[in-house]
Amino acid sequence: MRKLLVWFLVVLSVVLLATEFFTEDKMLCSSSQPKTGGTLRLALASTPESFLLYGSLDSSAYTVIMGPLMSPLVEYHPITNEIRPGLAKSWTVSSDGKQVWFYLRDALWSDGKPITADDLIFTMQYFVMNKYARGNSVDRFTIPDEKGVNKPITWTKINNKVVRAELPSPYGAFLTVLTAVYIYPKHKLEPLIDKNDLASVNKLWLTNVSPSEIVVNGPYKLSQVIVDQKIVLERNPYFWKKDPYGNQLPYFDKLEYLIIKDPEIRLAKFIAGEIDYMAISAADYPRLKQIEVAGNAPYVTFASKPVGSTPSPVHISFNFDTANPKLREIFRKLEFREAMEYALNRNRIIEEVYNGLAIPGGGLMLPTNKAFYNPKVEQLMRPFDLKKAASILDSLGLVDKNKDGLRDFPDGTTFEFTILVQNQPKDYQQIAYIFSEELKKIGVKTNLQILDSSVVGQMFGAGNFECGIRAFGNQPDPQLRKAIWQPGQQLYYWHYSTMNRNTNPPSPVFSEMFDWEKRIWEIFEKAQIEMNPKKRKALYDEWQELYYKYLPVIFVARQMNFFGAHKSLGNVVQSPEGLPTFTVWTTFRK
Amino acid sequence: MENLVSFIVRRILIMIPMMVIVSIICFTITELQPGDFLSQYLDNPRISPEQIEALKRELGLDKPAYYRYFLWVRNIVTKLDFGYSFSYQRPVFELIWERMGWTVGISLMTILLQWLIAIPLGIFSAFRPYSFWDYTFAVIAFIGISIPEFFLALILMYFALNAGYTYIGGLFSPEFIGAPWSLAKFIDLLKHLWIPLIVIGVSGVGGLYRIMRANLLDTIGSPFITALRARGLDEAVIKRHAVKNALNPLVSIAGMELPNVFSGTIIASIVLNLPTIGPFFYNALLNHDQYLVMSFLMFIAFITQIGNLLADIALALLDPRIRIA
């Protein structure tokens, strides 16, 4: 009954918001006197490989498609990360949580044709749930039913504007995974698909297609592609968002992406005022700020609390299944991992590697993520204390027997391990170096192995390492990172014996899991089908505590985020909590 | 004349086995590179292991290397199909072709500039050997040869940017990219172009200048110049003969410049953000986009051979002794 009530409230609030035109939040439209026209210029690292989100795995393509060209069914609020209506103006959920009705907005495609239920179902069928599409999300839309058998979510047209989704079981992250579903036009794409070869969808809307053929529903539409130099988008007059003062969005007539591969040039162009907005690295931030403070910069910079999923937070892992039996035994001991955390000088790393512009930990969820962050983990982090680390190692029997200054195993051989780290980005290596330096002070011998990222990736994937330094991204919802943090998954790389690769898909091996790992496994399974946001949060709170307590990996630090915007941009401000606001559809040129 | 034709035919026939050997070497090297196109997606939690397997089959990466090689060669021989790019999912030939324009344009401009500067300077130096100017040019030339292109590019850009100059990186200001040609666009191009031309051209100028100077010094010291002098010819006429003869060996250098047109600017183009084939090729290499990399390498090998052939033909026309060699 309480579940029903909660959902009734959620539904009610959503229905109240619903209108045919979506009115953008005042937070993003702080200026009541926006100007229209002009060109917004942003940087892009390479020419997008495709304009079909599901046919490509290219990040430049993602940047241009997700938001500027295409709209999702439901979307994240660009600042608060709350879920809000997108092309679906509202939705209702059945009392058992297994049926969801989506009501589509009266919005139009950029060629003036209406967006209908057929487009949504077409997108689901041929792209999202088509396992031959390169960028499909079949996994995210296949969930176990009550008997534990994986089944796909099915989509049914009720009428032109209403679609019903049927779930095998309640699915707590359903709306979250839908934020990454961008709707494509059936009337343009269906005739191009070879229905006998479903991989043919990957060949749609590649870089050789005429821009006029690309029909979209985002704020801008494609106008010109100049290979390796520039992508030009122009205003989509049929975009479905308005500002709070009744003006049609977006304000800019054109959005241009300058294609600049080299980060130094990107920075130079930004300093010269040719690029209007971009993310800045921690290393470049002090210099840019200096120019800004001196008063002759065409831009303003923002340093914000960590937000979003990049740059990824760095962690240290110890391979529970490493080939050396003596190391394996030690690595599996919680006391050892605790000693390693005591020996991790997070403050020094933050000062020396990140210029003081990072937060300790920040691994699983960011403090700015109000929906899921559990602040208790801050107390669970063990502070830097070499003495304590040394005494724990003593108690584990790792003492210096032959007086060469290095700790030995009880059998007299030197205790040493190799830290595997990739050569890019630089901060991973620097952390590895500082960590090994501190360990040296307490007589622990480490060897740094710095290799090209593709080699390192393969070694981790094969479980062929002793200690590793790596980084995985934060996400708005833990469900999206199940493949990393749940034992028995493809990226739970420090304990691969928890996964049986011989079944398809790979299955968990409970006999190999520690009790706390079994609990983490359970939490993910429970949270997945939990529809009540509060109960989901409670489960994921426990998950975060377990990680910080039992240290499957040791989280090091998460860099802050830095942005720079041209002085003349309107509606770009920083909130009191430190979050910058910028979207391609609400900024304008003052 | 008959000699020359059989010489050319022979040279062309030799090119075929050469290309085969080059292709095998290149394919082996790209295979030795650790990882493949799909390794970059292995630690992406969005992409499941099953999907990686499916892609592997789709791209043929589950087949052994020799099989893929023969398939690739067969398609080239039978259909003139150089394969598909893994990431762009389009024929590699199309992709390379799209990026040819500026690659050839910038390189030809650089080469022209190099010759226009290096030859007169070389002549000037050779006629005043061991003078103040000769030493000065020598020092500058050696610096030019030894300084890495990317470093020179960064230094030039740094100074330009600090001096408040904003025409940096790329070939045009953003508003002119893709705009129809006009006088304003041309002027904008010139404002951007000088940095790439200096960066790419400087080492070549140094090298060519030293070669020209050495050639001319050799020629001036040769008996036939002494003979001309002995016959009391005007000094201006003697110089003209010396320069003509000293230019001969540069013909073969010109032929060898041809592959440089396509491959010589890779690093500079990345740093300077030039829309040439270089950065594109570099990316393909990092991504293990194998057929794209292979086709580009084969193209360079082919151009190198053509360049050598042209140089030899030119030399053969100038010097009949080459034809029987």
Side-chain angles (χ1 to χ4, degrees):
Chain A
M1 192 59 214
R2 240 173 70 205
K3 194 190 241 173
L4 194 67
L5 187 70
V6 170
W7 276 99
F8 178 73
L9 287 174
V10 170
V11 167
L12 188 72
S13 61
V14 169
V15 171
L16 285 179
L17 279 171
T19 48
E20 289 320 322
F21 261 103
F22 179 89
T23 307
E24 188 53 271
D25 192 334
K26 276 217 166 151
M27 210 191 250
L28 286 153
C29 296
S30 50
S31 169
S32 60
Q33 280 153 338
K35 280 189 195 153
T36 50
T39 304
L40 175 67
R41 281 207 187 94
L42 304 174
L44 198 65
S46 60
T47 307
E49 288 166 6
S50 165
F51 293 100
L52 180 76
L53 183 73
Y54 308 98
S56 169
L57 298 168
D58 167 44
S59 63
S60 292
Y62 289 176
T63 307
V64 177
I65 296 167
M66 298 168 91
L69 287 179
M70 288 290 174
S71 304
L73 200 59
V74 296
E75 62 178 34
Y76 281 125
H77 187 290
I79 302 168
T80 63
N81 271 336
E82 285 159 325
I83 286 174
R84 62 179 194 173
L87 285 176
K89 62 184 174 187
S90 63
W91 49 86
T92 49
V93 184
S94 67
S95 53
D96 64 356
K98 284 163 61 167
Q99 289 186 316
V100 185
W101 286 267
F102 290 95
Y103 303 93
L104 300 183
R105 207 177 284 286
D106 268 332
L108 302 174
W109 290 104
S110 59
D111 62 358
K113 298 223 164 64
I115 299 173
T116 66
D118 293 323
D119 293 313
L120 171 57
I121 288 169
F122 167 77
T123 302
M124 285 295 167
Q125 184 183 356
Y126 286 102
F127 304 136
V128 179
M129 320 252 323
N130 169 3
K131 66 177 177 185
Y132 299 100
R134 275 195 187 184
N136 74 64
S137 306
V138 177
D139 273 10
R140 289 181 171 188
F141 291 92
T142 307
I143 53 171
D145 64 6
E146 262 103 50
K147 292 186 198 99
V149 185
N150 276 327
K151 285 200 176 137
I153 292 169
T154 57
W155 300 82
T156 319
K157 176 178 172 178
I158 304 296
N159 64 40
N160 256 344
K161 289 288 172 190
V162 183
V163 174
R164 185 181 65 215
E166 273 164 73
L167 318 177
S169 53
Y171 184 24
F174 185 46
L175 292 175
T176 305
V177 294
L178 275 177
T179 57
V181 170
Y182 290 78
I183 309 299
Y184 275 76
K186 182 182 182 184
H187 67 280
K188 274 297 197 187
L189 287 168
E190 196 178 32
L192 307 175
I193 297 175
D194 175 358
K195 302 227 165 129
N196 297 317
D197 171 18
L198 287 180
S200 63
V201 301
N202 296 324
K203 298 242 151 83
L204 301 175
W205 284 7
L206 297 174
T207 43
N208 52 357
V209 169
S210 156
S212 60
E213 286 301 301
I214 294 180
V215 168
V216 298
N217 53 27
Y220 298 92
K221 57 183 180 179
L222 193 63
S223 147
Q224 205 183 6
V225 178
I226 301 143
V227 174
D228 289 354
Q229 294 191 73
K230 194 164 84 168
I231 307 278
V232 185
L233 314 185
E234 61 184 64
R235 185 169 195 274
N236 172 8
Y238 298 112
F239 187 47
W240 47 278
K241 279 183 188 170
K242 282 190 169 174
D243 73 4
Y245 323 101
N247 303 311
Q248 167 77 41
L249 291 168
Y251 299 124
F252 277 107
D253 282 341
K254 274 186 184 176
L255 166 56
E256 294 186 347
Y257 284 99
L258 300 183
I259 296 167
I260 306 172
K261 183 174 173 48
D262 188 76
E264 300 294 331
I265 295 278
R266 232 174 291 154
L267 196 66
K269 293 233 174 218
F270 176 72
I271 294 174
E274 274 184 30
I275 293 168
D276 284 317
Y277 186 87
M278 66 177 217
I280 297 166
S281 74
D284 293 329
Y285 176 74
R287 199 176 119 220
L288 289 184
K289 192 81 201 168
Q290 220 171 16
I291 304 175
E292 185 190 343
V293 171
N296 38 23
Y299 57 80
V300 281
T301 54
F302 306 99
S304 102
K305 286 182 183 171
V307 281
S309 55
T310 54
S312 300
V314 183
H315 66 253
I316 301 172
S317 57
F318 289 93
N319 190 354
F320 292 8
D321 297 316
T322 194
N324 179 338
K326 283 184 283 180
L327 281 179
R328 195 162 61 218
E329 200 195 322
I330 283 288
F331 288 173
R332 285 171 173 237
K333 287 190 175 146
L334 174 61
E335 295 84 358
F336 172 77
R337 298 195 301 277
E338 285 184 307
M340 291 298 107
E341 191 180 11
Y342 281 120
L344 175 66
N345 194 342
R346 288 192 173 98
N347 288 338
R348 180 174 164 203
I349 288 165
I350 290 172
E351 279 312 311
E352 290 179 18
V353 180
Y354 298 109
N355 287 321
L357 302 165
I359 59 163
L364 299 169
M365 285 286 128
L366 290 173
T368 42
N369 186 339
K370 296 282 179 271
F372 287 105
Y373 182 65
N374 179 358
K376 260 197 205 147
V377 302
E378 286 160 34
Q379 278 107 55
L380 291 174
M381 265 190 277
R382 293 155 191 88
F384 176 61
D385 187 344
L386 275 185
K387 267 193 200 135
K388 207 158 185 175
S391 74
I392 295 175
L393 293 177
D394 288 343
S395 71
L396 288 172
L398 299 170
V399 287
D400 185 5
K401 291 198 162 170
N402 52 9
K403 301 294 165 224
D404 62 350
L406 300 173
R407 289 174 187 272
D408 302 302
F409 280 113
D411 67 0
T413 51
T414 308
F415 171 70
E416 61 176 310
F417 58 85
T418 302
I419 304 176
L420 179 63
V421 60
Q422 63 191 52
N423 56 356
Q424 287 290 344
K426 285 274 174 283
D427 48 336
Y428 301 6
Q429 294 181 42
Q430 291 164 342
I431 289 169
Y433 180 71
I434 292 175
F435 182 51
S436 71
E437 250 195 352
E438 297 291 351
L439 285 177
K440 205 173 173 185
K441 291 181 192 161
I442 52 171
V444 176
K445 186 181 176 198
T446 57
N447 312 298
L448 287 189
Q449 191 176 18
I450 302 167
L451 296 171
D452 183 70
S453 58
S454 62
V455 186
V456 173
Q458 276 184 337
M459 290 171 75
F460 282 131
N464 174 22
F465 72 106
E466 291 173 356
C467 169
I469 292 197
R470 241 185 153 178
F472 283 129
N474 303 110
Q475 278 290 322
D477 192 314
Q479 172 72 25
L480 302 177
R481 284 298 176 260
K482 196 179 160 189
I484 304 170
W485 308 124
Q486 187 186 37
Q489 293 280 359
Q490 78 202 72
L491 290 171
Y492 198 79
Y493 69 98
W494 54 90
H495 200 177
Y496 267 145
S497 60
T498 58
M499 178 173 78
N500 181 359
R501 283 178 205 254
N502 296 325
T503 60
N504 190 17
S507 50
V509 183
F510 297 108
S511 57
E512 286 290 333
M513 288 184 199
F514 293 103
D515 288 341
W516 53 269
E517 280 182 309
K518 281 184 201 144
R519 178 63 190 155
I520 292 172
W521 190 88
E522 222 173 73
I523 286 174
F524 273 98
E525 295 303 298
K526 281 193 174 160
Q528 173 165 290
I529 54 169
E530 181 55 66
M531 292 292 262
N532 179 331
K534 267 204 180 130
K535 284 188 187 159
R536 285 190 76 212
K537 162 106 168 79
L539 284 166
Y540 286 127
D541 275 351
E542 189 190 343
W543 157 70
Q544 291 170 65
E545 285 168 35
L546 285 171
Y547 256 81
Y548 277 84
K549 205 163 157 191
Y550 290 100
L551 300 173
V553 301
I554 304 168
F555 293 107
V556 181
R558 168 61 153 82
Q559 191 185 309
M560 290 169 74
N561 284 91
F562 309 97
F563 304 94
H566 198 275
K567 267 182 184 167
S568 65
L569 283 192
N571 281 345
V572 180
V573 285
Q574 197 168 13
S575 75
E577 295 99 65
L579 307 175
T581 66
F582 171 85
T583 74
V584 294
W585 60 90
T586 56
T587 45
F588 62 93
R589 182 96 49 208
K590 282 188 271 200
Chain B
M1 205 55 213
E2 203 179 293
N3 260 343
L4 185 65
V5 173
S6 78
F7 164 77
I8 294 172
V9 170
R10 244 185 310 138
R11 286 295 305 268
I12 291 176
L13 286 178
I14 292 173
M15 277 166 68
I16 296 169
M18 280 291 276
M19 290 301 283
V20 173
I21 294 169
V22 170
S23 72
I24 293 174
I25 294 173
C26 291
F27 197 87
T28 313
I29 291 173
T30 54
E31 275 299 314
L32 287 177
Q33 203 189 350
D36 61 26
F37 176 67
L38 295 170
S39 351
Q40 54 183 316
Y41 304 120
L42 286 179
D43 59 1
N44 185 339
R46 267 199 75 168
I47 300 164
S48 64
E50 297 91 79
Q51 204 178 330
I52 299 269
E53 283 307 311
L55 269 173
K56 217 174 225 173
R57 275 193 300 277
E58 188 197 321
L59 301 174
L61 289 172
D62 54 338
K63 306 267 180 349
Y66 66 87
Y67 179 88
R68 276 182 285 131
Y69 173 77
F70 282 114
L71 205 68
W72 182 66
V73 172
R74 195 187 69 192
N75 282 339
I76 294 175
V77 174
T78 59
K79 295 187 266 185
L80 231 89
D81 171 7
F82 285 79
Y84 268 73
S85 152
F86 291 157
S87 49
Y88 286 84
Q89 303 176 73
R90 290 176 53 197
V92 293
F93 207 77
E94 240 179 75
L95 290 165
I96 292 176
W97 183 248
E98 271 178 6
R99 289 160 176 86
M100 267 306 156
W102 280 114
T103 311
V104 174
I106 291 172
S107 304
L108 288 183
M109 273 187 274
T110 322
I111 290 174
L112 191 71
L113 193 77
Q114 283 172 347
W115 285 66
L116 285 179
I117 296 172
I119 304 287
L121 274 185
I123 296 171
F124 177 88
S125 275
F127 284 128
R128 294 164 194 76
Y130 315 113
S131 66
F132 170 75
W133 286 112
D134 184 28
Y135 283 124
T136 312
F137 289 145
V139 170
I140 296 173
F142 286 136
I143 293 175
I145 293 169
S146 50
I147 194 166
E149 280 182 354
F150 79 94
F151 185 62
L152 182 62
L154 289 180
I155 289 181
L156 271 181
M157 283 195 294
Y158 176 79
F159 282 116
L161 205 60
N162 270 12
Y165 192 81
T166 55
Y167 300 93
I168 286 165
L171 289 176
F172 299 102
S173 302
E175 61 269 26
F176 286 113
I177 301 173
W181 279 101
S182 64
L183 185 65
K185 183 173 174 172
F186 182 69
I187 292 170
D188 188 66
L189 173 66
L190 292 183
K191 283 179 182 164
H192 282 83
L193 200 58
W194 66 270
I195 295 183
L197 287 187
I198 290 179
V199 169
I200 302 170
V202 88
S203 66
V205 169
L208 269 176
Y209 155 79
R210 293 304 292 175
I211 293 168
M212 183 65 210
R213 179 183 173 278
N215 282 347
L216 192 50
L217 276 178
D218 274 354
T219 317
I220 291 170
S222 65
F224 92 93
I225 294 287
T226 319
L228 290 181
R229 284 223 171 93
R231 281 166 180 77
L233 249 74
D234 193 43
E235 197 56 24
V237 179
I238 293 172
K239 278 185 180 172
R240 209 165 60 225
H241 278 282
V243 169
K244 246 189 196 168
N245 277 280
L247 277 173
N248 252 358
L250 288 176
V251 172
S252 57
I253 292 176
M256 288 172 208
E257 284 269 15
L258 206 54
N260 281 345
V261 169
F262 301 96
S263 63
T265 62
I266 293 180
I267 302 294
S269 292
I270 293 171
V271 181
L272 293 164
N273 201 40
L274 303 178
T276 67
I277 190 91
F280 184 67
F281 172 67
Y282 179 73
N283 244 6
L285 209 56
L286 290 185
N287 280 342
H288 302 265
D289 203 338
Q290 198 172 21
Y291 300 128
L292 193 53
V293 169
M294 284 298 296
S295 302
F296 184 68
L297 290 176
M298 292 308 290
F299 176 74
I300 296 287
F302 181 68
I303 291 289
T304 308
Q305 302 222 41
I306 294 288
N308 284 340
L309 178 66
L310 290 179
D312 284 349
I313 293 173
L315 269 183
L317 289 172
L318 289 171
D319 186 349
R321 280 172 301 177
I322 303 288
R323 286 177 222 176
I324 41 172

